[in-house]
Amino acid sequence: MSNNKPACETTPKRGQRIPEHFFRLIADCTYDWESWLSADGQVLWVNAAVERFTGYTPQECRAMSDYPLPLVAPEDRGKIARCVKEGRAGSTANNVEFRAMDRDGCHCWCAVSWQPMIDAAGHPLGFRASVRDISETRQLREQLRLQNDHLEQLVQERTGQIAKLEKHRLKVEKLAALGELAAGVAHEINNPLAGIRNAFTLLKRHLPHNVKHYDKLELIDCEIQRISGITHQMYQLYRPSQQTVTRFSIKKLVAEVITLSRPMARKKRVDLEADSSSLQPSGALGGDEVSLRSGELKQVLLNLVRNAIQASLPGQTVSVAIHTNSAALSITVTDHGSGIPESVIGKIFDPFFSTKSEEIGQGMGLGLPVSSGIIEAMKGTIDVTSDPNIGTTFVVRLPRQLD
């Protein structure tokens, strides 16, 4: 069938029969890529729009033995071959997406729809296929997908943050309630305990050293001191900080902690080492200077180092590493002991929970909760990682200066 356009004629008047070639003009001037294929799949006619889509003329298309497959991206040729087969069988479909390919191998996204064609007598004449460019729609769809993915990610992040904040809020409320209770108990214990200790001191002072079981008096004094230390820790769970911010050398403070912990380390035959090689100055502060609550920070580090010593075996090493940059301080305490079981590591900052409960006299589970409260009060964090039979690492992160 010819694809040549007829010469221009006067537009038919209303009510006048429209000549057949006017319908061909309408088809040829259609913006979408139109095709007419016979019932056996042979191309009968293609409009001029095909050249805008693919760079091929209608004459070139009609010369193809397997039209329209050469005009389709290789990845989609199987899909379009099935569409041709379905069209030959008399089916109808809309908006089947595929990638058209031009002479240079460039692709553009298209959508094809087809429907069967019949003559006035109802005889099948093949099927008509209409292809439209959906590149912009695909681009907008992809942008929308990316935006949806981004929004979903933001929602997940915000949900995670809210859950984390809620968990933290509940933990703070629990700690405050327990701390208030502990402080009340500690206050009530301290009063009679002070009386017991004073009376015991007077009694001990007036007893001769040769009295039977005099050596047990020192043990009693140590146990009274231990009770006093426990009540002091209980009180610290609730008591607001009374210390002021001072400027000091973190390197010197860590050295003092090492010195105070060395007797315990010697007793357990554990080595102590400190690394302060990664220190940077910041404004008016020297490389090893910080502006924090020194007494409270020393208390935290003493607790972490002593815990690390207790977790270590003879011959192992506990290390303390200090790092400063322009804005922050981090202190890492590492041991090479048996580690903390995964089943309990999430509970170690809970008041009265202790991994040392099996060892008599090894703790009430207050050291880490108190330490965590001190660090949070200084706008910092304390984190722990542990591997079975490899060791445990605590990392304290703090701002280098408190307001």
Side-chain angles (χ1 to χ4, degrees), residues 219-236:
L219 176 61
I220 295 172
D221 197 22
C222 290
E223 291 303 301
I224 293 174
Q225 179 65 30
R226 181 168 172 266
I227 294 172
S228 178
I230 290 172
T231 57
H232 178 69
Q233 282 190 320
M234 291 171 67
Y235 185 59
Q236 282 185 309

Side-chain angles (χ1 to χ4, degrees), residues 342-358:
E342 187 178 353
S343 59
V344 302
I345 196 168
K347 304 176 183 178
I348 62 173
F349 293 107
D350 292 344
F352 306 108
F353 178 85
S354 176
T355 57
K356 310 171 192 174
S357 57
E358 296 179 0

Side-chain angles (χ1 to χ4, degrees), residues 145-219:
R145 185 191 66 80
L146 292 174
Q147 289 176 355
N148 286 339
D149 289 346
H150 180 60
L151 287 174
E152 185 176 348
Q153 182 181 357
L154 288 177
V155 168
Q156 291 176 348
E157 289 175 357
R158 296 295 186 272
T159 302
Q161 290 173 358
I162 291 171
K164 186 176 180 180
L165 288 172
E166 179 65 13
K167 183 178 179 181
H168 180 70
R169 183 186 67 81
L170 292 173
K171 180 181 177 182
V172 169
E173 289 181 354
K174 178 182 177 182
L175 184 62
L178 285 171
E180 189 172 1
L181 175 63
V185 172
H187 178 73
E188 294 301 322
I189 291 175
N190 271 334
N191 288 332
L193 185 65
I196 292 171
R197 188 163 197 179
N198 290 336
F200 176 75
T201 301
L202 289 173
L203 182 63
K204 181 181 177 182
R205 187 182 301 167
H206 291 87
L207 285 175
H209 290 192
N210 59 356
V211 172
K212 187 178 180 180
H213 300 308
Y214 184 87
D215 57 320
K216 302 298 189 297
L217 297 179
E218 186 66 29
L219 176 61

Side-chain angles (χ1 to χ4, degrees), residues 12-192:
K13 293 184 170 56
R14 182 175 180 179
Q16 182 181 352
R17 184 177 182 277
I18 300 176
E20 183 180 338
H21 60 264
F22 273 94
F23 292 104
R24 184 176 295 279
L25 277 173
I26 293 171
D28 279 334
C29 295
T30 300
Y31 185 77
D32 290 341
W33 166 13
E34 302 283 342
S35 303
W36 177 11
L37 287 83
S38 67
D40 60 359
Q42 297 299 311
V43 58
L44 303 176
W45 169 82
V46 184
N47 73 345
V50 69
E51 192 166 0
R52 179 170 54 82
F53 280 77
T54 68
Y56 291 90
T57 66
Q59 292 81 7
E60 290 175 310
C61 292
R62 291 199 307 274
M64 296 176 182
S65 60
D66 53 351
Y67 174 89
L69 298 184
L71 310 181
V72 178
E75 300 89 343
D76 294 330
R77 285 177 185 169
K79 179 195 296 186
I80 297 304
R82 288 191 296 272
C83 292
V84 172
K85 183 177 180 180
E86 291 172 8
R88 289 171 55 190
S91 71
T92 299
N94 288 309
N95 297 324
V96 177
E97 296 183 4
F98 71 99
R99 283 158 289 187
M101 185 173 66
D102 63 16
R103 288 183 182 275
D104 299 325
C106 296
H107 298 166
C108 74
W109 276 100
C110 299
V112 59
S113 302
W114 67 88
Q115 53 278 313
M117 297 176 65
I118 56 175
D119 62 14
H123 299 135
L125 300 175
F127 65 96
R128 168 183 169 269
S130 178
V131 177
R132 59 188 177 88
D133 188 341
I134 60 167
S135 298
E136 186 174 344
T137 302
R138 291 277 305 197
Q139 185 178 3
L140 292 173
R141 190 190 302 167
E142 179 64 15
Q143 290 176 356
L144 182 61
R145 185 191 66 80
L146 292 174
Q147 289 176 355
N148 286 339
D149 289 346
H150 180 60
L151 287 174
E152 185 176 348
Q153 182 181 357
L154 288 177
V155 168
Q156 291 176 348
E157 289 175 357
R158 296 295 186 272
T159 302
Q161 290 173 358
I162 291 171
K164 186 176 180 180
L165 288 172
E166 179 65 13
K167 183 178 179 181
H168 180 70
R169 183 186 67 81
L170 292 173
K171 180 181 177 182
V172 169
E173 289 181 354
K174 178 182 177 182
L175 184 62
L178 285 171
E180 189 172 1
L181 175 63
V185 172
H187 178 73
E188 294 301 322
I189 291 175
N190 271 334
N191 288 332

